[in-house]
Amino acid sequence: MKTLLKEMILDAASAAHKEGILPSPDFSEVVLEEPKADSHGDLSTNMAMQMAKTQRMAPRKIADALIDHLDDKKGIIMRTEIAGPGFINFFIRPAAWHPVLAVIHEKDHQYGRCDLGKGARIQIEFVSSNPTGPLHVGHGRGGAVGDSTANILSFCGFDVQKEYYINDSGRQIQTLGRSVYLRGKELLGETVDFPDTCYQGEYIRDLAGELLEKDGPEIFSEAEAQAIMPCARFAADKIIDGMRADLVDFGVTFDRWFSEQGLYDSGKVAEDIRHFEEKGLIYEKDGALWFRTSDYGDEKDRVVVRRNGQTTYFASDITYHKDKFERGFNKVIDVWGADHHGYIPRMKAAVQASGYDRDRFGVLLVQLVNLLRAGRPVAMSTRAGEFVTLADVVKEVGRDAARFIFLTRHYDSALDFDLDLAKRKTNDNPVYYVQYVHARIASIHRKAATDGLDVGDFVQSDLSALETPEDVVLIKALARYPEAVKTAGTFMEPHRITYYLMTLAAAFHTYYNRHRVLCEDNLKLTRARLYLITAVQTVIRNGLALLGVSAPDSM
RNA sequence: GCGCCUGUAGCUCAGCUGGAUAGAGCAACGGACUUCUAAUCCGUAGGUCGCAGGUUCGAGUCCUGCCAGGCGCGCCA
């Protein structure tokens, strides 16, 4: 509808220009929007005001000219008006919206798809939690945002790859090994001094127990230096398996799990450091090696090899991101927790120094999650190893509720996640509000079948019966879906889909309460309404799929 | 101190990258189930868009300066 009207307006502008009424052929882009107030019509444009400068005419005069030259071949416009400083308001004939329904039925699962990405290869890396403990709620949000964004981008014509970066190298992994080693000694009856710096969680003891059972006690009697790495490998592998399983339960899968250690094993990190040294981008100072990130917008240079000879996390990250681009991705997106935001300038610098456009690398900074129960904060201490894990949350509230709630806010603002509210099967829980639409419609279909109502061939149904205000509101909402997807893809903001679905759901529930779909005495009306609500069901299902939330047939 | 993010109804948040009279949900109050699922709907009430300037036909949206909150400023990850 919008594109159709846009073309009509542009044609009108050209026609008016040809007749010399509009002096300039330079037409600003037509922006059509849906006015908030119904009295302003179905669609409205501010074009006359935008053009006032280039045309050097009063906006209302331009608006007059445009309206005079409108050629409404299909008869979609009921009437137009010029309002306020120069808005042109279009009132669309109710029946003109009906073709939207046919499009939805025809495209079905593909309705809403667009070609924004034009096949560009994009990689999105998310969660990427260190394999030193279970995933917690914050990772859940990152997972939901990353996975849903990937779905949306894919639906918008990007070739998307989802990746998990495993930080299986460095000091944390050693700490993990040491923690397991010491707990293992405890299990064998030794009294050990378990330092604060080690991981305190109960799961460490469990891992030590598993290792003991698998390989016997020998490893725990070896010297610490000998035992740490085997312990660490065992524990990290177990933890990664656990994370993978938790993510599957959460509906999140990855195309690739990428090992940081692999970058060291293959010598790529060392190779890159050498390479950047030769180019003069890495230099030595105070016994350490520094990367000249400040040449590329960072506030100071950063260490890549410490005085003790160990590389920093940043070193492998440079190689990792360079590797991503070498793999041919046009665009590389990382999803990070907001506490890492200080890291962005140096990462951008590294990308640029590696020879790639810094704008091809982007970061979605996901703000923190406040976990609540009945409105009160749930005490969590990562240090003490006491926290509610993602698996706990999924088990308690379910995958659908968890995913949906993580996506009810822009990722950029902090999120309150109330466990009690997420379980509540009422109105204040938006998940069910949306899913209920799908279930209700499925129920109507069942009823229609039971009652032997011949729903016939939908496409042949006469839609002229769909002309009440509620019909139009609902169809207009459906027509808006492709745009919602496109906007969500453009800005990588999955919450826009969530909000869209809530709005559509509201329109449907209103409709449902006002109009009976199955009217035994009016088959024509019944068919038309079934045609309409089936389209609603399709869009709800498609939208929920982008969020990774199921669309149940009954609740 | 510097940087990033946030500030919109009592609470939690949207606001389509500058449009008309700023919108939802919750909470409050009043209504609607012999009906295709009441996990729903309808109505009422609720606002100095943190504050002050600026840009222009027009600002919640853009710019500057303040105020408040969160986070970050390691040879940690």
Side-chain angles (χ1 to χ4, degrees):
Chain A
M1 180 63 70
K2 269 194 183 178
T3 47
L4 184 65
L5 194 54
K6 269 184 197 176
E7 279 171 30
M8 281 170 55
I9 295 169
L10 275 177
D11 288 347
S14 316
H17 172 63
K18 217 166 276 173
E19 288 179 24
I21 298 171
L22 294 179
S24 165
D26 176 20
F27 306 126
S28 51
E29 201 199 338
V30 183
V31 176
L32 276 174
E33 60 176 28
E34 290 183 45
K36 292 166 199 149
D38 290 343
S39 62
H40 293 140
D42 296 297
L43 290 168
S44 172
T45 182
N46 60 358
M47 191 185 179
M49 290 174 319
Q50 298 285 357
M51 286 170 39
K53 261 184 196 146
T54 48
Q55 301 292 351
R56 276 187 272 155
M57 280 174 72
R60 295 188 70 111
K61 286 235 153 113
I62 299 173
D64 269 329
L66 289 174
I67 290 175
D68 281 347
H69 291 82
L70 271 182
D71 183 11
D72 185 11
K73 293 192 195 79
K74 294 187 177 167
I76 62 171
I77 298 172
M78 196 157 58
R79 66 187 175 88
T80 57
E81 68 176 19
I82 302 172
F87 291 102
I88 307 174
N89 297 335
F90 299 92
F91 294 79
I92 308 294
R93 272 196 313 112
W97 295 100
H98 293 165
V100 172
L101 299 179
V103 172
I104 297 170
H105 280 266
E106 185 203 330
K107 299 205 170 160
D108 199 24
H109 283 87
Q110 304 302 318
Y111 179 64
R113 186 179 279 281
C114 67
D115 193 29
L116 183 69
K118 299 186 175 65
R121 293 190 62 207
I122 187 165
Q123 192 220 42
I124 179 160
E125 178 220 320
F126 54 104
V127 185
S128 296
S129 161
N130 294 333
T132 53
L135 297 171
H136 59 251
V137 189
H139 298 125
R141 189 179 189 187
V145 168
D147 191 57
S148 181
T149 301
N151 289 341
I152 292 166
L153 289 174
S154 176
F155 207 53
C156 285
F158 287 91
D159 178 5
V160 184
Q161 194 229 32
K162 298 183 285 183
E163 185 155 301
Y164 189 118
Y165 184 54
I166 309 167
N167 300 119
D168 51 359
S169 167
R171 214 177 67 185
Q172 291 199 49
I173 212 80
Q174 296 206 343
T175 305
L176 175 67
R178 185 150 176 249
S179 304
V180 171
Y181 173 72
L182 292 175
R183 287 300 189 209
K185 278 186 169 314
E186 277 183 356
L187 289 177
L188 292 174
E190 287 185 42
T191 317
V192 298
D193 177 28
F194 198 81
D196 287 352
T197 49
C198 283
Y199 297 109
Q200 306 291 320
E202 200 53 42
Y203 63 93
I204 296 292
R205 208 169 265 130
D206 297 342
L207 286 167
E210 285 179 49
L211 181 56
L212 184 64
E213 200 167 310
K214 179 172 161 281
D215 288 351
E218 292 81 16
I219 190 162
F220 298 115
S221 16
E222 281 179 36
E224 182 170 318
Q226 296 282 308
I228 278 187
M229 278 326 282
C231 285
R233 288 278 159 255
F234 172 81
D237 286 349
K238 279 282 177 192
I239 290 171
I240 291 166
D241 287 347
M243 291 191 306
R244 203 187 308 251
D246 290 349
L247 287 164
V248 166
D249 287 344
F250 189 50
V252 174
T253 55
F254 291 88
D255 300 306
R256 182 162 180 187
W257 293 67
F258 193 100
S259 161
E260 179 189 14
Q261 186 61 43
L263 289 174
Y264 285 105
D265 295 345
S266 67
K268 287 194 87 164
V269 177
E271 188 184 313
D272 282 343
I273 289 173
R274 223 170 18 244
H275 169 251
F276 283 119
E277 264 186 306
E278 279 167 19
K279 291 183 70 178
L281 286 165
I282 285 179
Y283 63 92
E284 191 183 335
K285 193 183 89 179
D286 303 332
L289 293 184
W290 299 69
F291 200 104
R292 292 191 192 276
T293 50
S294 65
D295 286 2
Y296 301 94
D298 196 9
E299 58 185 17
K300 60 179 190 183
D301 293 342
R302 307 290 174 176
V303 170
V304 285
V305 180
R306 288 181 267 170
R307 205 183 305 182
N308 65 10
Q310 288 201 318
T311 51
T312 62
Y313 181 88
F314 184 47
S316 49
D317 251 358
I318 295 168
T319 297
Y320 179 40
H321 284 80
K322 190 163 159 280
D323 180 79
K324 291 185 184 194
F325 284 108
E326 280 165 3
R327 279 187 264 160
F329 293 109
N330 304 94
K331 205 153 176 140
V332 166
I333 303 295
D334 288 6
V335 179
W336 293 350
D339 53 338
H340 287 69
H341 74 252
Y343 205 76
I344 296 176
R346 85 187 66 169
M347 207 60 247
K348 285 243 176 206
V351 167
Q352 194 181 349
S354 302
Y356 301 100
D357 181 351
R358 59 194 286 132
D359 291 334
R360 283 170 60 192
F361 169 68
V363 179
L364 305 187
L365 276 185
V366 180
Q367 287 289 337
L368 67 131
V369 179
N370 299 309
L371 198 65
L372 309 174
R373 192 180 285 285
R376 308 186 71 87
V378 176
M380 282 198 281
S381 154
T382 317
R383 282 197 64 79
E386 293 165 4
F387 46 81
V388 179
T389 65
L390 173 62
D392 293 337
V393 172
V394 171
K395 191 186 276 179
E396 182 167 346
V397 311
R399 175 207 285 194
D400 287 341
R403 287 195 66 138
F404 197 95
I405 289 169
F406 280 131
L407 298 170
T408 49
R409 300 275 176 269
H410 187 167
Y411 59 75
D412 215 3
S413 59
L415 169 73
D416 289 338
F417 191 119
D418 193 310
L419 288 163
D420 284 341
L421 193 141
K423 274 188 295 187
R424 216 175 294 163
K425 302 195 167 178
T426 60
N427 218 336
D428 33 332
N429 190 340
V431 193
Y432 301 113
Y433 186 80
V434 174
Q435 287 185 318
Y436 191 38
V437 172
H438 194 270
R440 268 188 152 171
I441 294 171
S443 174
I444 295 173
H445 283 132
R446 283 192 296 272
K447 181 77 161 57
T450 313
D451 292 0
L453 276 174
D454 175 19
V455 291
D457 186 350
F458 284 143
V459 186
Q460 294 300 319
S461 58
D462 181 351
L463 301 178
S464 64
L466 303 177
E467 58 183 7
T468 69
E470 292 80 18
D471 284 301
V472 176
V473 167
L474 201 46
I475 301 173
K476 279 166 74 173
L478 294 171
R480 217 177 290 135
Y481 179 64
E483 202 173 315
V485 172
K486 194 171 182 177
T487 314
T490 304
F491 301 112
M492 301 187 199
E493 293 176 346
H495 78 283
R496 289 175 185 271
I497 301 296
T498 314
Y499 273 88
Y500 169 82
L501 288 173
M502 291 195 281
T503 308
L504 177 61
F508 174 77
H509 287 311
T510 297
Y511 189 91
Y512 180 92
N513 276 276
R514 189 152 317 178
H515 301 293
R516 206 182 148 75
V517 174
L518 305 177
C519 309
E520 286 77 357
D521 56 346
N522 190 341
L523 198 57
K524 178 178 152 188
L525 183 63
T526 299
R527 281 185 176 183
R529 287 187 174 165
L530 277 170
Y531 193 71
L532 169 62
I533 65 162
T534 304
V536 173
Q537 194 181 30
T538 296
V539 174
I540 291 279
R541 180 246 283 145
N542 288 3
L544 285 174
L546 292 180
L547 304 182
V549 176
S550 73
D553 284 337
S554 67
M555 292 173 68

